[in-house]
Amino acid sequence: MKKSLSHTVWECKYHIVWVPKNRRKVIYGNLRKELGQILRRLCEYKGVEPIEGTLCTDHIHLCLSIPPKYSVATIVGYLKGKSAMMVFEQFSRLKRNFKGHSFWARGYYVNTVGLDEAKVRRYIKNQQEADAIQDKYDNDSSDPF
């Protein structure tokens, strides 16, 4: 669906993936639920539409519709920075587990969605199932904290 600003008609959708620092498996339980709400709220503040998203234990997949007045790097930096601050506020016990108080690792993956939107959305939805299968074979079930 095309959207418009005052002098622009646009349809800019991106598949974005990023991971916690050291790819630690920390996104589960209350943190997962809260992080989903935080990311939706932050997207709403900037006028970014979350199309699809999955929070796996060690990474996040998002399909976002970002207005052309923002660069992808600006939005990803905003989401990672603000969400880390909000997570540390609400889950202060995590602070000592991340050196330098960094929750997210540096960098991210981004791909334009274009005409393959249905395929990308299906891929994002299926990530949880793939993670569940992989977790069955993961022998290390100790708490990362």
Side-chain angles (χ1 to χ4, degrees):
M1 180 175 75
K2 293 185 177 16
K3 299 180 181 165
S4 64
L5 297 169
S6 58
H7 300 286
T8 309
V9 177
W10 60 277
E11 186 175 23
C12 303
K13 296 176 185 168
Y14 303 93
H15 175 211
I16 303 168
V17 181
W18 70 79
V19 300
K21 188 143 192 171
N22 300 325
R23 192 125 183 173
R24 294 179 78 175
K25 295 185 178 194
V26 294
I27 305 173
Y28 57 86
N30 288 338
L31 176 61
R32 181 178 182 199
K33 212 178 299 182
E34 191 63 34
L35 193 54
Q37 292 174 354
I38 288 170
L39 291 171
R40 279 190 290 279
R41 199 172 333 130
L42 291 172
C43 285
E44 185 181 316
Y45 292 156
K46 289 287 188 179
V48 172
E49 180 188 350
I51 298 168
E52 196 70 53
T54 298
L55 282 72
C56 301
T57 57
D58 65 346
H59 63 284
I60 291 180
H61 285 269
L62 294 174
C63 185
L64 301 176
S65 178
I66 301 175
K69 65 182 180 178
Y70 298 118
S71 71
V72 177
T74 299
I75 293 299
V76 172
Y78 171 77
L79 291 176
K80 287 172 69 176
K82 293 294 183 186
S83 66
M85 288 172 33
M86 294 168 94
V87 163
F88 284 141
E89 249 176 49
Q90 294 174 6
F91 297 88
S92 58
R93 64 181 171 78
L94 294 177
K95 274 187 183 175
R96 62 193 123 85
N97 291 312
F98 292 93
K99 187 177 180 179
H101 304 299
S102 300
F103 186 74
W104 302 115
R106 290 177 59 184
Y108 58 94
Y109 166 83
V110 65
N111 188 12
T112 55
V113 173
L115 300 175
D116 295 331
E117 180 180 351
K119 188 188 294 184
V120 170
R121 291 178 76 170
R122 197 169 44 252
Y123 171 78
I124 291 172
K125 280 184 181 179
N126 293 333
Q127 279 299 299
Q128 280 184 308
E129 295 170 21
D131 270 6
I133 292 168
Q134 182 181 0
D135 285 345
K136 284 182 185 177
Y137 300 108
D138 190 9
N139 296 333
D140 184 22
S141 60
S142 63
D143 188 7
F145 301 107

